[in-house]
Amino acid sequence: MAKGEGAESGSAAGLLPTSILQAGERPAQKEPKKKQQLSVCNKLCYAVGGAPYQVTGCALGFFLQIYLLDVAQVDPFSASIILFVGRAWDAITDPLVGFCISKSPWTRLGRLMPWIIFSTPLAIIAYFLIWFVPDFQQGQALWYLLFYCLFETLVTCFHVPYSALTMFISTEQSERDSATAYRMTVEVLGTVLGTAIQGQIVGQADTPCLQDPNASTATLEGANHTHSTTSLKETQNAYLLAAGVIASIYVICAIILILGVREQREPYETQQAKPMSFFRGLRLVMTHGPYIKLIAGFLFTSLAFMLVEGNFALFCTYTLGFRNEFQNLLLAIMLSATVTIPIWQWFLTRFGKKMAVYIGISSAVPFLILVALMESNLIVTYVVAVAAGISVAAAFLLPWSMLPDVIDDFHLKQPHIHGTEPIFFSFYVFFTKFASGVSLGISTLSLDFTGYQTRSCSQPARVKFTLKMLVTMAPIVLILLGLLLFKLYPIDEEKRRQNKKALQALREEASSSGCSETDSTELASIL
């Protein structure tokens, strides 16, 4: 009997793989897992994916209003409804798309990539139709409202998963930070490209100002009669040409992103059998302290920069008197921001992200004070514009560089919860757009209250003073409030290093657990 049992045991041993036998005799000696590094090509492909949102957003932000009023000839009230409803709907779609993405299953292409792939062709069609003037007059406002809202929905279906993709291109914090720096550089270039393309192609659509605002209605009617149909048609074609060029850039960038980036899944996430509900995830996200403090800080600083951005053209035109220099000054700001983003990336890796926030955001304050105090001087204005680009670069880079740290901290506190990344990113974008809407509302109400005269060559002294306050003093106060809130943000460099080690241990444990389950299954099937 004993001999027979020994023979049976030896026979079974002959069938077992050597690796399993060795694992049973002594603890397995696992080779250290090599860290996955993204190549420069991968980072560039990922970064290029940020350009479509910025190029189209810049073109719409600077030119849609003048297009609706002077080219499509929509009445001002309807144009204001289109712009307001479109912006409000744009903010609402972010959490809605985040909810839908959180319910999406993983596919062979990933969970985020299918959204990017299928939204791109539809977004291109909607964008092109925004810049198309239909033959009918009745219902024209509804046409633009429909396609503007449709495009904002589709571009959100592209941008929210693209933003969340930051967490799935690599598991290494340093790699994600580096890829974010590449992304911010390309996005700033995207704003420059959108402004340059739209501005150069449709520059002929500019309308002269009115010397006598009291006779504005009669003057406008005369101008419309003298403006030939042929000239208006050429302007409409110029807008369509610009839309075609920008749409082509959108498609090319999307293809590069899809072909050059691979979505990776966290090892410990695969162990969670059932995904969590969206509303439970939203409750957990909105009660995560570091996330709330990060949003609060950047809400104030974003509102500051949005006030400057929204009123920059009016400030240059009426307060400083540089009507024909607006595009050049904007180009100087964006080029300066593009050049300094790599410098800020080096700075935050050398001195930490919180220090970069304090130095980068606060560096705008002295230049805003200078603008408030100085007389109209074109050379000084260009110097200030270049210096302001340094702070703009920090404002572009730091929010998206710090958000992955918050998500890592959340994963450590909630290791069995997955699928919350779209919630983090979508509500982050929602609050940014909320700040943009607030800044637009404050600016419009303030200018209307002080007696702003539409399309006048000059404005009353009260309007000029209000513009100066909106571009200088108000942003300074908001920046200082935002920096005070950042004092409460708990994730410093020491905390980041601790989180990195803890996450690495969690991943190794998940991988080891996965290997053990595979070996056990193989052993059971053999026996």
Side-chain angles (χ1 to χ4, degrees):
M1 177 76 74
K3 184 177 178 180
E5 288 175 357
E8 184 179 351
S9 175
S11 176
L15 295 174
L16 292 177
T18 307
S19 61
I20 298 180
L21 287 176
Q22 291 175 345
E25 294 169 2
R26 62 180 183 275
Q29 300 265 337
K30 287 199 307 179
E31 294 183 1
K33 198 174 182 179
K34 292 184 178 180
K35 295 180 179 179
Q36 293 180 342
Q37 291 188 341
L38 295 174
S39 66
V40 173
C41 181
N42 292 139
K43 294 175 184 178
L44 285 174
C45 290
Y46 167 73
V48 165
Y53 180 79
Q54 297 297 337
V55 173
T56 55
C58 190
L60 289 168
F62 286 117
F63 294 94
L64 183 58
Q65 186 177 31
I66 192 173
Y67 167 79
L68 291 174
L69 294 173
D70 295 345
V71 181
Q73 297 182 342
V74 177
D75 65 273
F77 178 77
S78 298
S80 66
I81 294 296
I82 293 168
L83 294 171
F84 175 77
V85 173
R87 189 179 292 264
W89 176 250
D90 185 24
I92 293 171
T93 54
D94 288 288
L96 290 176
V97 171
F99 168 77
C100 295
I101 293 174
S102 69
K103 307 298 287 185
S104 301
W106 278 85
T107 67
R108 186 171 56 86
L109 298 173
R111 186 173 61 186
L112 305 174
M113 277 298 183
W115 285 83
I116 295 173
I117 293 171
F118 291 114
S119 67
T120 296
L122 298 175
I124 293 305
I125 296 172
Y127 181 77
F128 190 80
L129 290 175
I130 291 174
W131 304 104
F132 176 76
V133 180
D135 293 333
F136 50 85
Q137 291 294 326
Q138 294 293 332
Q140 202 175 59
L142 184 61
W143 169 283
Y144 290 112
L145 178 62
L146 173 64
F147 287 109
Y148 185 32
C149 291
L150 180 60
F151 172 74
E152 292 296 347
T153 303
L154 292 167
V155 80
T156 299
C157 292
F158 181 101
H159 192 249
V160 169
Y162 170 74
S163 300
L165 192 60
T166 308
M167 300 301 299
F168 298 97
I169 57 175
S170 176
T171 58
E172 287 295 315
Q173 288 180 349
S174 59
E175 291 295 306
R176 294 199 300 250
D177 290 344
S178 177
T180 299
Y182 277 79
R183 170 192 167 187
M184 291 302 109
T185 303
V186 172
E187 288 198 1
V188 174
L189 283 172
T191 62
V192 175
L193 194 62
T195 305
I197 292 173
Q198 196 84 1
Q200 292 299 321
I201 295 179
V202 306
Q204 58 184 311
D206 290 340
T207 305
C209 62
L210 303 174
Q211 296 293 340
D212 184 9
N214 295 325
S216 58
T217 303
T219 308
L220 279 172
E221 289 177 356
N224 286 334
H225 285 300
T226 57
H227 191 73
S228 67
T229 305
T230 304
S231 178
L232 182 61
K233 190 66 177 177
E234 289 175 355
T235 304
Q236 294 172 357
N237 291 336
Y239 272 97
L240 287 177
L241 176 61
V245 173
I246 290 177
S248 301
I249 294 173
Y250 193 119
V251 172
I252 292 170
C253 292
I255 291 173
I256 292 173
L257 172 68
I258 294 165
L259 297 180
V261 176
R262 182 181 177 185
E263 190 176 344
Q264 302 178 23
R265 196 173 186 180
E266 284 281 12
Y268 58 80
E269 184 179 322
T270 59
Q271 297 180 2
Q272 182 76 14
K274 186 178 179 181
M276 179 191 51
S277 69
F278 174 82
F279 293 104
R280 185 183 169 218
L282 179 61
R283 180 175 58 83
L284 291 173
V285 166
M286 288 304 173
T287 55
H288 187 57
Y291 183 63
I292 297 302
K293 291 166 185 174
L294 186 68
I295 282 180
F298 275 117
L299 186 62
F300 282 97
T301 56
S302 296
L303 182 56
F305 284 99
M306 292 291 181
L307 277 175
V308 176
E309 178 187 7
N311 296 281
F312 186 73
L314 295 174
F315 177 73
C316 289
T317 301
Y318 297 115
T319 304
L320 298 181
F322 303 140
R323 177 177 295 274
N324 298 322
E325 294 292 332
F326 160 62
Q327 291 186 0
N328 295 330
L329 288 167
L330 179 64
L331 188 63
I333 293 173
M334 291 305 176
L335 288 177
S336 173
T338 304
V339 171
T340 52
I341 277 182
I343 299 175
W344 282 118
Q345 175 63 19
W346 170 84
F347 187 93
L348 66 86
T349 56
R350 179 69 176 81
F351 299 101
K353 296 180 182 180
K354 287 191 73 172
M355 181 62 69
V357 167
Y358 295 138
I359 301 297
I361 303 297
S362 63
S363 63
V365 173
F367 300 105
L368 292 174
I369 294 175
L370 179 61
V371 170
L373 298 177
M374 74 177 187
E375 296 295 330
S376 180
N377 186 303
L378 185 58
I379 296 176
V380 174
T381 305
Y382 269 102
V383 172
V384 172
V386 172
I390 299 173
S391 286
V392 171
F396 261 92
L397 174 64
L398 290 168
W400 298 109
S401 180
M402 297 172 76
L403 185 55
D405 300 336
V406 172
I407 298 176
D408 284 343
D409 186 74
F410 177 83
H411 283 160
L412 282 176
K413 291 184 172 65
Q414 306 285 347
H416 299 295
I417 302 300
H418 69 87
T420 56
E421 291 83 2
I423 300 176
F424 275 102
F425 281 93
S426 62
F427 275 90
Y428 203 63
V429 175
F430 169 79
F431 285 115
T432 302
K433 292 177 179 178
F434 173 77
S436 174
V438 169
S439 67
L440 180 64
I442 292 173
S443 302
T444 306
L445 289 175
S446 300
L447 294 175
D448 183 60
F449 180 75
T450 54
Y452 178 81
Q453 297 172 346
T454 305
R455 291 180 57 190
S456 174
C457 289
S458 62
Q459 296 291 341
R462 290 189 304 170
V463 173
K464 295 180 181 179
F465 177 78
T466 302
L467 285 170
K468 181 173 285 190
M469 291 300 100
L470 289 172
V471 173
T472 56
M473 290 298 105
I476 289 173
V477 173
L478 291 169
I479 286 173
L480 294 177
L481 287 173
L483 293 178
L484 285 175
L485 288 172
F486 274 118
K487 294 289 290 182
L488 304 174
Y489 179 67
I491 303 178
D492 54 14
E493 289 308 296
E494 180 61 28
K495 180 67 173 176
R496 285 183 69 237
R497 283 191 288 269
Q498 293 175 0
N499 286 352
K500 181 179 178 181
K501 291 179 181 178
L503 277 173
Q504 188 60 35
L506 185 64
R507 292 182 184 113
E508 290 176 357
E509 180 183 353
S511 299
S512 174
S513 173
C515 291
S516 300
E517 290 176 4
T518 303
D519 291 344
S520 300
T521 304
E522 185 179 357
L523 178 60
S525 63
I526 293 173
L527 290 176

